[in-house]
Amino acid sequence: MEDEREILYIALGIMIAEYSNILEKEDLDPENRGLAEYLLSRAENLLDKLSSEITEETIKRPQW
């Protein structure tokens, strides 16, 4: 699939937004907070790596 990187890029962006929202909750237990922080950190690193390979011009609407 030629659009795999684009799909991963978009999915990571959504994941980062969701985990950022989760971490804003003050009542999150420490174990879940640690997991969320770890996943957020890894997702941000992967997004940075992919962003050097992908530009907004490469992400196009799917052809169904």
Side-chain angles (χ1 to χ4, degrees), residues 30-47:
E31 185 176 329
N32 287 335
R33 177 171 294 283
L35 177 60
E37 287 172 348
Y38 171 77
L39 292 173
L40 181 61
S41 171
R42 291 290 292 140
E44 289 171 337
N45 289 336
L46 290 170
L47 188 69

